[in-house]
């Protein structure tokens, strides 16, 4: 299939890796921001084929991994209300909160449904008019349009028993925060192609220029990733501070205007709490005043409280690339994909989960 087969061609990928091994001799730290890139790198063994001077760091782009513990606790509090049906994407159900997880609560009888789209929640709300249906709206710019669309449909259909507990995050300012963090050493970014398909290249390009850090927008096949690493190393070596779009088959310079319009109509920029990274200015989306009756935090008067986290879990350092999972004393001992302690072990995209499976 055109645009897929050439990026899955093992011989082409091997040749690109050979060029990297011959050409790139200086130490280079590359952060792949997106969890899907992390998964592809480890699944395809790309990390093992690169020279040791190229250090791949997995960034905070797995939506489940960066969902704040307070958010999970709020969802758990809501699901204890017999009048509430919680709807969520599948990965969220196993994420540990401070004392429990949605999975534990489901086993104990909470009404929790896994959905594939927030739009499914409107059907559930229409069929359960005696209940309140709450969707757990997490993710990045990628999931924001369909969540926004669901809110618009609910508004236009005057559905009153539906709301969303939002924790949607935005990526460019989070990357800026990492660049400015003195503990973090990154020479270049592999940018999240899914986010790029919505917001385009421009924001990343401005960031690259302003903070003097080269970037490439990459697809997710092994050929995409090998090509992105080679190209990014070349940009780093010649100090070319821009975001090069290597995922043109999906990512347009201006992004997806329809999706961007929905985001702009329904959400405004807000600060956001990132698991392991804390509060980061202007990295979240909150529901605008016009649609606030669909904001579960307002509807159920939920207040975030400070919670104690398991200090042995080093997800925060892993999400910044300061440490790797093997530095965690719980890794493979107390923390496994079957019994995750921290969020990085929960999702297939999480760094700890990928180290567990493929390293
Ligand atoms: Fe946290 Fe588990 Fe990863 Fe350790 S192995 S950092 S406990 S998720």
């Amino acid at each position: 299939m055109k645009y897929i087969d050439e990026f899955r061609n093992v011989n082409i990928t091997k040749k690109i890796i050979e060029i990297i091994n011959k050409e790139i001799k200086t130490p280079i730290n590359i952060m792949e921001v997106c969890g899907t890139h992390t998964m592809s790198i480890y699944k395809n063994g790309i990390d093992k084929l690169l020279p040791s001077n190229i250090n791949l760091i997995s960034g905070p782009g797995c939506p489940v991994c960066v969902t704040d513990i307070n958010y999970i606790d709020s969802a758990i509090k809501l699901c204890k209300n017999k009048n509430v049906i919680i709807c969520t994407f599948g990965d969220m159900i196993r994420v540990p909160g401070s004392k429990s997880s949605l999975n534990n609560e489901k086993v104990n009888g909470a009404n929790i449904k896994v959905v594939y789209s927030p739009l499914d929640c409107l059907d559930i709300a229409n069929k359960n008019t005696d209940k309140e249906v709450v969707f757990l709206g997490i993710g990045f710019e990628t999931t924001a349009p369909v969540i926004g669309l669901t809110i618009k449909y609910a508004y236009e259909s005057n559905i009153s028993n539906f709301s969303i507990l939002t924790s949607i995050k935005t990526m460019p300012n989070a990357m800026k925060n990492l660049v400015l963090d003195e503990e973090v050493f990154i020479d270049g970014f592999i940018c999240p192609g899914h986010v790029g398909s919505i917001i385009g290249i421009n924001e990343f390009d401005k960031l690259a220029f302003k903070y003097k850090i080269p970037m490439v927008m990459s697809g997710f096949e092994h050929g995409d990733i090998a090509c992105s690493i080679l190209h990014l190393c070349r940009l780093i070596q010649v100090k070319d501070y821009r975001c090069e779009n290597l995922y043109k088959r999906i990512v347009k310079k201006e992004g997806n205007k329809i999706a961007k319009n929905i985001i702009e109509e329904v959400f405004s920029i807000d600060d956001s709490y990132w698991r392991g990274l804390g509060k980061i200015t202007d990295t979240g989306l909150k529901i605008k005043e016009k649609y606030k009756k669909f904001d579960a935090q307002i509807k159920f008067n939920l207040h975030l409280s400070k919670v104690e986290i398991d200090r042995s879990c080093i997800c925060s350092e892993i999400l910044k690339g300061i440490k790797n999972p093997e530095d965690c004393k719980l890794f493979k001992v107390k923390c496994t994909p079957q019994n995750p302690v921290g969020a990085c072990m929960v999702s297939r995209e999480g760094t700890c989960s990928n180290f567990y499976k493929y390293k």
Side-chain angles (χ1 to χ4, degrees):
M1 196 191 302
K2 189 161 170 53
Y3 299 128
I4 296 286
D5 291 346
E6 54 271 56
F7 296 96
R8 288 184 182 168
N9 184 317
V10 173
N11 291 331
I12 296 176
T13 301
K14 273 185 182 166
K15 279 195 184 120
I16 299 169
I17 302 253
E18 269 171 37
I19 297 171
I20 295 173
N21 275 279
K22 272 193 199 133
E23 190 179 308
I24 311 300
K25 299 294 179 197
T26 50
I28 288 179
N29 289 325
I30 291 174
M31 176 173 276
E32 89 276 356
V33 177
C34 176
T36 314
H37 281 142
T38 303
M39 207 166 69
S40 185
I41 286 166
Y42 290 107
K43 194 173 119 194
N44 291 299
I46 292 175
D47 57 311
K48 296 188 181 90
L49 300 174
L50 292 174
S52 58
N53 53 308
I54 298 181
N55 180 29
L56 294 180
I57 301 164
S58 302
C62 158
V64 167
C65 305
V66 294
T67 297
D68 188 45
I69 202 161
N70 269 310
Y71 177 89
I72 306 292
D73 285 354
S74 295
I76 288 170
K77 190 174 169 188
L78 270 180
C79 80
K80 288 177 189 287
N81 181 338
K82 295 278 175 234
N83 206 30
V84 168
I85 301 173
I86 293 283
C87 297
T88 177
F89 295 135
D91 270 2
M92 279 292 282
I93 209 158
R94 295 172 55 239
V95 182
S98 60
K99 296 193 181 76
S100 180
S101 68
L102 290 166
N103 204 31
N104 288 343
E105 300 303 322
K106 190 172 165 63
V107 169
N108 291 328
N111 198 345
I112 298 169
K113 294 185 190 303
V114 172
V115 292
Y116 293 99
S117 163
L119 290 162
D120 297 343
C121 302
L122 301 185
D123 275 345
I124 296 170
N126 281 327
K127 286 179 187 150
N128 295 275
T129 48
D130 57 330
K131 302 272 188 213
E132 283 289 336
V133 174
V134 181
F135 176 68
L136 304 185
I138 65 153
F140 295 98
E141 289 92 336
T142 340
T143 49
V146 71
I147 295 174
L149 195 63
T150 307
I151 292 175
K152 269 168 64 74
Y153 282 162
Y155 181 84
E156 284 156 15
S157 315
N158 213 9
I159 296 175
S160 58
N161 63 327
F162 169 72
S163 58
I164 298 191
L165 186 62
T166 52
S167 181
I168 305 170
K169 297 182 167 40
T170 58
M171 196 44 91
N173 275 336
M175 288 163 66
K176 180 183 93 177
N177 202 62
L178 284 169
V179 173
L180 296 177
D181 188 324
E182 288 176 357
E183 281 185 311
V184 179
F185 298 98
I186 302 166
D187 298 303
F189 283 109
I190 296 178
C191 293
H194 297 138
V195 172
S197 70
I198 303 296
I199 67 170
I201 284 289
N202 290 344
E203 281 196 59
F204 296 102
D205 206 32
K206 281 185 208 155
L207 206 61
F209 183 73
K210 184 168 180 186
Y211 295 99
K212 295 189 168 29
I213 183 154
M215 303 183 188
V216 287
M217 185 62 71
S218 176
F220 298 91
E221 306 299 340
H222 50 72
D224 285 304
I225 292 171
C227 192
S228 294
I229 292 170
L230 174 60
H231 205 86
L232 184 57
C233 288
R234 286 174 173 169
L235 290 177
I236 291 166
Q237 288 186 329
V238 297
K239 298 187 171 39
D240 191 346
Y241 305 125
R242 63 195 163 97
C243 180
E244 180 81 30
N245 186 4
L246 300 181
Y247 197 26
K248 284 188 179 149
R249 63 193 193 275
I250 298 290
V251 176
K252 307 283 169 275
K253 192 170 187 300
E254 304 296 335
N256 181 325
K257 284 187 188 154
I258 296 171
K260 284 187 347 184
N261 286 342
I262 293 170
I263 294 175
E264 205 179 307
E265 185 186 334
V266 178
F267 301 105
S268 55
I269 300 289
D270 197 13
D271 299 342
S272 183
Y273 288 88
W274 295 60
R275 192 170 189 142
L277 303 178
K279 183 177 168 184
I280 311 180
T281 309
D282 292 344
T283 57
L285 295 177
K286 74 169 179 189
I287 298 172
K288 279 185 173 169
E289 185 70 21
K290 177 179 173 184
Y291 299 105
K292 74 174 185 189
K293 66 178 177 177
F294 300 107
D295 188 332
Q297 202 169 335
I298 297 172
K299 190 174 208 176
F300 296 95
N301 198 21
L302 295 169
H303 294 288
L304 302 181
S305 54
K306 190 144 180 64
V307 290
E308 278 304 310
I309 52 169
D310 187 338
R311 295 277 160 212
S312 321
C313 172
I314 58 165
C315 272
S316 56
E317 284 117 311
I318 288 170
L319 289 170
K320 289 179 178 181
I322 300 167
K323 291 192 176 165
N324 76 47
E326 281 151 344
D327 297 321
C328 175
K329 60 184 179 193
L330 304 184
F331 181 64
K332 289 189 175 173
V333 182
K334 193 173 156 198
C335 184
T336 64
Q338 291 71 38
N339 290 298
V341 175
C344 296
M345 188 60 95
V346 174
S347 162
R348 285 183 311 141
E349 297 184 1
T351 313
C352 297
S353 167
N354 277 287
F355 264 62
Y356 187 93
K357 271 193 231 149
Y358 301 116
K359 272 277 183 186

